[in-house]
Amino acid sequence: MAIVTTSKKACSVNPLKMSQPIGGSFAFMGLRGAMPLLHGSQGCTSFGLTLFVRHFKEAVPMQTTAMSEVATVLGGYENVEQAILNIYNRTKPEIIGINSTGVTETKGDDVEGFIRTIRQKHPQFEKFPLVYVSTPDFKDAFQDGWEKTVARMVEVLVDPVGAGAARYPARVNVLPGCHLTPGDLDELRTIIEDFGLKPSFLPDLAGSLDGHIPDEFTPTTIGGIGVDEVATMGQAAWTIAIGAQMKRAAEAMQQKAGVPFRLFERLCGLIPNDEFITFLSEISGRPVPAKYRRQRGQLADAMLDTHFHIGGRKLAIGAEPDLLFDLSSMLHEMGAEVAVAVTTTASPVLERVRTQEVLIGDLEDLEELAKVRDCDLLITHSHGRQAASRLKIPFYRAGFPMFDRLGAGHQLSIGYRGTRDLVFDLANLVIADREANHQPTPDTWRSTDSGLQVVPPQLH
């Protein structure tokens, strides 16, 4: 059992944590025709928007209530009202998702009260979906904002279902954590549909941020799950929650619509995917398709091939709790030692990370830990690239943001195929580092007695 500690520094130096309202806005981007709205200053929104655009290399819709110093002191009702009216009239969204920020939470704006007043004053908003979530950025982290926002979507948008109401046996709800990429969601959709089931993802980033080019420009999100489909999620037979962060939303679904749920804390590795595939076979009543038996064999062979390079290696990982737990558990099963683990926020899974200590801190904390000097690999998002360079160890990018490489939205690390590709990528990094820095070549051989370099023969 890991000991969870918290950094006592007065400020973050090399950030690992992304803010809570950014995580909430990210969740709203998985809804079709959505416009995320941050209730705060323009800087709060522009910073988050820059992160999303650099990560996905796509146009990302986000708006702000543009709170000034005076508006913050006097109250933000007029800013919220004007922002909602402008968005509604100019972009024609299907839903407006509102997340608070630190500046308006410090003032204590009653945004739920603002929304009630706006609905009374403007009849067009009487039934229009306006979802508000309290996500101050002076506490918690990216994962917490996602968790709270998805749970609030369920509470507000899903229609209640009576105890005797009919359910659709083939329909399942999928509540994915923020650590899953659009590529991961596409893989999940394919797996679930291969068992004859019909999944509804909330949120569905694979529909909105998978990098496709739409036929026509739209100022809101260009895909994802529609509000009408979310309303009927209570008719599903099962809810599948992926990541400990999604337990709250799954419980909200069960409480409001009576849908039972199964929580999978991770889907990276052999055993977790065996459990996931077995569960799908049980609820669908279908045998496991031959393709997944073959993919399982491929993963087992990949683990056999790569454990010579990964086993015994010391790793440093900096990530959100669910991603940290996912990757570290798989690598521990491969024989690696997680020597350094740093995360962003508290979570029940942290005590079960296979390491001595998990530190809630930033990347400077990670770099200053004594054990990191002996590590063979660093895994974190793009802000860790300077630390990896100073430590002179291989660097694998995982998590958000990933702004200095292409294809972040398509990175795959779940399922048999995703785990297979991940262990190959990690092993190849270790091999390349060893070849570059640790193995002698004809140009580096020297006589131990004379110190003379042995020059390889010239070929003519």
Side-chain angles (χ1 to χ4, degrees):
M1 178 178 290
I3 300 173
V4 181
T5 59
T6 303
S7 176
K8 302 300 182 182
K9 291 190 309 184
C11 65
S12 178
V13 178
N14 188 8
L16 174 64
K17 178 175 78 172
M18 300 297 112
S19 72
Q20 190 175 197
I22 300 301
S25 295
F26 193 36
F28 281 124
M29 291 177 195
L31 299 178
R32 186 186 67 219
M35 178 59 74
L37 173 64
L38 290 188
H39 181 36
S41 66
Q42 290 178 319
C44 296
T45 302
S46 62
F47 175 73
L49 183 60
T50 299
L51 284 177
F52 287 126
V53 171
R54 294 180 72 192
H55 181 84
F56 288 105
K57 309 294 189 292
E58 305 294 337
V60 174
M62 282 185 71
Q63 289 293 340
T64 175
T65 57
M67 296 289 289
S68 64
E69 295 89 339
V70 174
T72 300
V73 173
L74 298 180
Y77 169 76
E78 292 182 356
N79 291 61
V80 173
E81 179 187 37
Q82 195 61 51
I84 290 175
L85 285 170
N86 287 341
I87 292 170
Y88 181 82
N89 293 327
R90 295 180 182 181
T91 66
K92 310 300 183 195
E94 296 181 34
I95 179 174
I96 298 176
I98 308 169
N99 288 100
S100 65
T101 61
V103 63
T104 54
E105 287 280 358
T106 302
K107 166 62 172 63
D109 276 353
D110 180 13
V111 181
E112 291 286 7
F114 293 171
I115 292 175
R116 287 194 295 270
T117 303
I118 291 170
R119 291 190 190 278
Q120 294 170 0
K121 187 176 178 181
H122 304 280
Q124 66 268 37
F125 295 115
E126 182 180 354
K127 295 184 178 180
F128 183 83
L130 297 169
V131 180
Y132 167 71
V133 190
S134 173
T135 52
D137 46 14
F138 51 70
K139 61 178 291 187
D140 298 331
F142 187 86
Q143 177 175 305
D144 300 296
W146 175 283
E147 173 187 357
K148 294 175 184 178
T149 300
V150 179
R152 187 60 179 158
M153 288 180 192
V154 172
E155 293 167 355
V156 175
L157 301 178
V158 176
D159 291 338
V161 176
R167 298 189 182 276
Y168 297 94
R171 186 172 177 186
V172 294
N173 303 322
V174 183
L175 305 177
C178 64
H179 60 300
L180 301 185
T181 68
D184 289 328
L185 300 193
D186 277 334
E187 182 74 0
L188 273 176
R189 190 189 312 276
T190 299
I191 294 172
I192 294 171
E193 288 178 347
D194 282 344
F195 282 88
L197 300 171
K198 298 179 180 179
S200 295
F201 286 78
L202 180 68
D204 187 3
L205 294 176
S208 58
L209 287 171
D210 62 340
H212 70 280
I213 299 177
D215 295 331
E216 297 180 359
F217 170 77
T218 175
T220 60
T221 52
I222 58 177
I225 186 170
V227 175
D228 52 348
E229 184 177 347
V230 176
T232 64
M233 291 180 74
Q235 300 172 5
W238 278 94
T239 294
I240 299 173
I242 302 169
Q245 62 189 284
M246 303 315 296
K247 183 178 180 181
R248 177 174 175 176
E251 289 175 340
M253 183 76 74
Q254 185 177 48
Q255 181 176 0
K256 187 166 188 182
V259 184
F261 71 90
R262 172 74 183 269
L263 175 66
F264 292 90
E265 290 184 331
R266 65 187 184 100
L267 285 182
C268 183
L270 187 66
I271 295 176
N273 281 289
D274 286 349
E275 295 175 350
F276 181 62
I277 293 294
T278 300
F279 175 74
L280 293 179
S281 179
E282 290 173 352
I283 65 173
S284 67
R286 294 191 179 189
V288 177
K291 64 184 280 188
Y292 295 109
R293 297 183 183 276
R294 185 172 183 83
Q295 287 180 13
R296 187 186 189 279
Q298 291 174 345
L299 173 56
D301 183 69
M303 296 173 71
L304 179 64
D305 294 341
T306 58
H307 91 276
F308 295 103
H309 307 284
I310 295 177
R313 299 289 177 180
K314 294 182 179 180
L315 310 177
I317 305 178
E320 296 281 338
D322 278 354
L323 182 59
L324 170 65
F325 180 70
D326 208 353
L327 295 177
S328 64
S329 298
M330 184 275 292
L331 290 166
H332 174 80
E333 293 163 358
M334 289 285 296
E337 176 187 346
V338 181
V340 174
V342 178
T343 190
T344 61
T345 186
S347 171
V349 301
L350 295 180
E351 292 183 351
R352 289 186 281 120
V353 174
R354 300 299 187 92
T355 188
Q356 292 182 353
E357 178 186 9
V358 177
L359 176 64
I360 300 176
D362 63 11
L363 290 172
E364 184 192 51
D365 296 320
L366 181 149
E367 193 174 352
E368 290 183 347
L369 292 172
K371 291 182 180 180
V372 79
R373 303 292 168 182
D374 299 323
C375 287
D376 302 294
L377 183 67
L378 171 62
I379 302 175
T380 187
H381 55 55
S382 288
H383 288 301
R385 64 197 188 284
Q386 299 99 334
S389 176
R390 288 189 289 265
L391 295 168
K392 295 180 172 56
I393 58 176
F395 177 39
Y396 182 81
R397 292 162 176 81
F400 176 86
M402 193 187 305
F403 49 75
D404 57 341
R405 293 293 185 273
L406 298 175
H410 299 282
Q411 192 176 47
L412 183 63
S413 63
I414 67 165
Y416 294 129
R417 291 199 310 169
T419 308
R420 177 200 66 191
D421 293 346
L422 177 61
V423 297
F424 279 141
D425 288 342
L426 296 176
N428 284 332
L429 279 175
V430 173
I431 293 171
D433 178 66
R434 184 173 66 243
E435 290 177 344
N437 300 309
H438 304 293
Q439 284 192 342
T441 68
D443 292 329
T444 60
W445 289 344
R446 292 179 179 273
S447 169
T448 56
D449 295 328
S450 64
L452 297 176
Q453 182 175 355
V454 178
V455 180
Q458 300 295 319
L459 300 179
H460 300 284

